[in-house]
Amino acid sequence: MPRIRVAIVGCGFAGLAAARRLAAAPGVEVTVFNPRPELYNYPVLPRHLVDPVPRALLAVPLAPLLPGVRLRSERVEAVDAPARRVETASGTTAWDFLILAVGVRARTLPRGERTPLVFPKSERHLARLRGELEQLAAERRSGLVCIVGGGLTGIEFAAAVRARLDDAARRHRRRPDAFRVLLLERGARLAPDCSPALAARLAAALAAAGVGVRTGCAVHGIEGRRIETEAGALEADITLCCAGAEPDLRLGLAGLDAGADGIACTAGLVAQGSDAVLVAGDIARPRSPAPAPPRRAAHARRQGAHAAANVLRLAAGRAPRPYRPRALPTAVYLGPRRGLVALGPLCLGGSAAARTKHWLERDHFRHAVPSIAGGEGWMPW
Ligand SMILES: Cc1cc2nc3c(=O)[nH]c(=O)nc-3n(C[C@H](O)[C@H](O)[C@H](O)COP(=O)(O)OP(=O)(O)OC[C@H]3O[C@@H](n4cnc5c(N)ncnc54)[C@H](O)[C@@H]3O)c2cc1C
């Protein structure tokens, strides 16, 4: 029987789950493309800014996780759905089915050519941010750090910056309250994707931690230290950009429906425009009456496995099954020993929530990387 060739573009939580599911199926030849040879645990990054987490929980090599899979550490430049091939710098690869799991990238802000902005999506940026916060506390008696974007990522980083700055200020014998941390959100309230009740709890928690919040404050542009907002200008020493995420449309996608919110697909994660392409994770935007699930690691992982199962169904001439998102808890890091966990109308705060959030971060990685389950030295208390 001829083998089915499946190409997977992107190997984050979604691509990895898809690859592992397909590698276990007989008669399937799986090729995975990912520029970096590692899986990255984004949910731990805010905590990592404050207390560096063990390397094994931050990034793990992909190759040992994918036995029987051809792993290519390359960026795919273009996808040609009608011709069923992908292009990389080293050539063309043909496939029978394709799973697109390329995630999304941080949205940027209009800024001057030499204006430094920190995008807290990599270890390199976090290392730079740690150095800049340290320098601010060492060399100045006061300062302002602005975080642009009051979604969950901006909220977590605002709390993390506050904790890091407090620590640096104390070590350099400065008054922590002389260094302000300000979160700017263009919407009328924080966390527009969450319920108003959770947003109010998050706002109260930030206020208690010493983070200032300005809502209804759209940032138009940044030039040097100057941030231009609807309500006037601010001079910030450091600016972090947490202004949402968008698809990387540098990837050519012939024959597919890609827009500013992602790649359109059916409820069964089949791309609109091609029955042989499936979409999973942050990049997938199912066009169904129900709202698309939020961009979270657990959805990405489940969608990856679901897309793989639907590839096997399509290859066997069966109809794909719709992906039904489960209600998942929203867990937010709010600094050492602080957090909030919400599920529906239930909301848990304090150190119990901090422990749950901590456990969930490990759980995302435990599903993807079973060998680290129960890794010693991870829970610090
Ligand atoms: C700072 C931060 C904190 C977060 N915190 C949480 C949290 O607490 N809880 C939670 O549930 N979620 C959290 N998230 C969201 C979560 O990380 C994402 O939902 C999840 O990573 C999505 O998985 P994915 O596989 O769709 O995409 P990604 O994890 O982004 O993986 C996509 C992969 O595709 C690769 N790729 C991209 N383009 C190409 C190409 N052209 N060719 C080949 N490969 C390509 C990328 O290099 C990457 O490896 C956070 C995200 C960030 C950035």
Side-chain angles (χ1 to χ4, degrees):
M1 197 174 116
R3 286 167 73 79
I4 309 161
R5 296 164 304 169
V6 182
I8 299 176
V9 183
C11 198
F13 289 107
L16 179 64
R20 288 168 70 96
R21 173 80 171 81
L22 287 167
V28 183
E29 188 182 294
V30 187
T31 306
V32 169
F33 297 88
N34 198 65
R36 267 196 311 227
E38 292 177 316
L39 175 75
Y40 223 70
N41 193 4
Y42 295 117
V44 300
L45 288 181
R47 179 186 309 282
H48 184 60
L49 179 69
V50 183
D51 300 311
V53 303
R55 179 80 196 153
L57 284 152
L58 191 60
V60 288
L62 283 169
L65 302 175
L66 293 171
V69 168
R70 193 175 303 156
L71 177 61
R72 292 180 46 183
S73 297
E74 282 185 281
R75 173 172 293 280
V76 166
E77 312 288 347
V79 171
D80 188 339
R84 297 199 178 190
R85 52 182 199 220
V86 293
E87 305 284 346
T88 65
S90 67
T92 300
T93 303
W95 40 266
D96 301 307
F97 289 94
L98 175 75
I99 297 180
L100 278 171
V102 290
V104 286
R105 63 176 182 168
R107 187 175 289 142
T108 187
L109 294 164
R111 59 178 160 149
E113 234 173 69
R114 288 179 201 281
T115 299
L117 262 188
V118 181
F119 294 92
K121 213 187 163 180
S122 74
E123 271 177 291
R124 188 170 53 84
H125 277 249
L126 286 197
R128 196 179 105 198
L129 177 58
R130 242 184 249 127
E132 287 179 1
L133 293 171
E134 193 66 28
Q135 196 180 357
L136 185 65
E139 295 177 0
R140 301 269 302 279
R141 297 197 169 275
S142 63
L144 174 65
V145 181
C146 279
I147 292 97
V148 181
L152 293 180
T153 304
I155 290 171
E156 290 193 336
F157 273 106
V161 165
R162 181 72 271 171
R164 186 83 202 177
L165 204 45
D166 285 353
D167 177 56
R170 280 191 203 101
R171 275 186 287 102
H172 292 285
R173 298 174 191 282
R174 308 276 194 238
R175 284 183 44 200
D177 61 1
F179 295 91
R180 289 195 304 139
V181 177
L182 186 58
L183 182 58
L184 307 175
E185 163 58 34
R186 70 175 168 189
R189 63 169 170 91
L190 287 181
D193 294 344
C194 300
S195 70
L198 176 58
R201 292 276 306 253
L202 289 167
L206 287 181
V211 174
V213 173
R214 275 190 207 167
T215 50
C217 184
V219 170
H220 297 313
I222 307 181
E223 186 68 58
R225 293 179 55 212
R226 192 177 166 85
I227 304 178
E228 294 290 347
T229 80
E230 233 163 46
L234 288 163
E235 291 278 325
D237 297 288
I238 301 170
T239 305
L240 255 81
C241 183
C242 298
E246 60 191 7
D248 185 352
L249 294 177
R250 287 173 303 180
L251 171 64
L253 291 167
L256 302 176
D257 177 4
D261 62 341
I263 300 175
C265 59
T266 65
L269 306 177
V270 179
Q272 285 183 354
S274 172
D275 286 350
V277 178
L278 288 94
V279 195
D282 282 1
I283 191 70
R285 290 296 96 182
R287 300 277 189 259
S288 52
R295 288 180 167 138
R296 301 275 156 75
H299 279 302
R301 203 178 63 227
R302 295 184 74 235
Q303 283 186 341
H306 194 90
N310 274 346
V311 163
L312 298 175
R313 292 180 69 84
L314 287 165
R318 291 153 70 200
R321 284 211 175 110
Y323 172 74
R324 295 192 201 291
R326 260 207 328 236
L328 295 169
T330 300
V332 190
Y333 173 79
L334 290 168
R337 292 173 173 69
R338 286 189 185 156
L340 266 184
V341 177
L343 184 60
L346 303 173
C347 192
L348 178 71
S351 65
R355 278 168 170 266
T356 309
K357 163 67 177 155
H358 210 159
W359 182 85
L360 284 170
E361 285 166 5
R362 193 182 65 169
D363 193 53
H364 292 314
F365 229 32
R366 185 178 60 81
H367 277 283
V369 190
S371 59
I372 66 158
E376 277 180 34
W378 167 237
M379 292 292 270
W381 69 90

